[in-house]
Amino acid sequence: MSSQGPRVVLLGKQGAGKGTQASRVAEHYAIAHLATGDVFRAAARDETPLGLQAKEYIDRGELVPDPIVIGVVREHLEDNDRQLVEAGFILDGFPRTQVQAVELDVVLEGDALDVIVNLDVPTEVVLARIAGRRVCVQCGTNYHVDSPPTEPWWCDKCGGHVVQRDDDREDAVMRRLELYEIQTLPVIQYYRRTGRLVNVPGQGDSNDVFAAVVAAIDARWELRR
Ligand SMILES: [Zn+2]
């Protein structure tokens, strides 16, 4: 019997609630929540050569090439004699391409992933969630068309104007969702082929979704323990 935690990848579209679920899973199992954005910021702050290279792409608003993404994640996982790998973790935002998925298996060697959870939410649902977002231009407080400020559309906290960000407009969201589908479909197929993918419907109550995610992880993790 091992006391170490599960090794999980959480896949899901923008707006599927992936970040929230990943945080709760990390807390539930007392494992590290590795959100790609945080890992990149840490590498840039520590000024590792790969971290600095990644930062150049991010600052230019470009996609970071696969070898650099993989290098940054590898450095992070192998830091401190792979303690993180042995203790368990949940990856959120990585792997995003099939090349990254294959390389992740190489990095982990014998310490294979236990389960890949695909948080499945229909495109029209995430589109409505994201396109309904509104934000205060002064203080950054978030609102939604379903829960507007008392005085539409002026901020309850600071009186600033509450608007839709350009990134949240329907056409911009659709472009990102299409890019996600194109990149991630091969990742999903790769994990399905190797028998490690579990599809969890991500609609409905957040607590019910969390329970389903934990059940999916426990079912696979038991096999290793
Ligand atoms: Zn405000």
Side-chain angles (χ1 to χ4, degrees), residues 26-42:
E27 194 181 347
H28 179 81
Y29 293 102
I31 56 176
H33 175 192
L34 302 182
T36 314
D38 296 341
V39 173
F40 277 99
R41 275 188 290 278

Side-chain angles (χ1 to χ4, degrees), residues 22-198:
S23 294
R24 292 185 67 177
V25 166
E27 194 181 347
H28 179 81
Y29 293 102
I31 56 176
H33 175 192
L34 302 182
T36 314
D38 296 341
V39 173
F40 277 99
R41 275 188 290 278
R45 197 175 51 234
D46 296 345
E47 299 186 338
T48 74
L50 285 166
L52 292 174
Q53 281 184 56
K55 187 174 184 297
E56 285 179 24
Y57 285 93
I58 294 166
D59 287 348
R60 288 199 299 264
E62 293 171 22
L63 281 178
V64 183
D66 278 341
I68 297 177
V69 176
I70 293 155
V72 170
V73 174
R74 175 194 286 268
E75 275 183 352
H76 196 82
L77 287 172
E78 293 185 342
D79 212 13
N80 299 319
D81 293 330
R82 297 172 74 93
Q83 272 175 17
L84 191 61
V85 173
E86 286 173 22
F89 55 80
I90 179 162
L91 283 167
D92 162 12
F94 178 92
R96 196 153 277 177
T97 67
Q98 187 177 347
V99 172
Q100 292 175 10
V102 172
E103 283 301 314
L104 177 61
D105 280 340
V106 174
V107 171
L108 293 175
E109 301 166 21
D111 302 312
L113 292 165
D114 290 301
V115 60
I116 290 80
V117 176
N118 184 35
L119 202 56
D120 200 8
V121 181
T123 296
E124 62 270 22
V125 174
V126 294
L127 191 58
R129 282 183 191 169
I130 300 169
R133 284 183 195 158
R134 299 293 182 270
V135 63
C136 171
V137 294
Q138 282 197 102
C139 74
T141 298
N142 291 303
Y143 297 91
H144 198 272
V145 288
D146 297 334
S147 55
T150 319
E151 178 93 13
W153 282 93
W154 304 95
C155 182
D156 287 338
K157 291 193 181 151
C158 76
H161 201 189
V162 175
V163 301
Q164 184 177 44
R165 294 189 322 154
D166 285 342
D167 271 3
D168 289 345
R169 291 188 193 284
E170 195 162 317
D171 54 340
V173 178
M174 270 318 285
R175 274 200 304 279
R176 286 203 301 278
L177 288 173
E178 277 163 14
L179 179 65
Y180 177 84
E181 293 278 342
I182 292 167
Q183 285 187 329
T184 313
L185 195 60
V187 175
I188 289 174
Q189 285 167 339
Y190 170 72
Y191 285 133
R192 187 172 282 141
R193 270 202 310 278
T194 50
R196 293 175 289 173
L197 189 87
V198 179

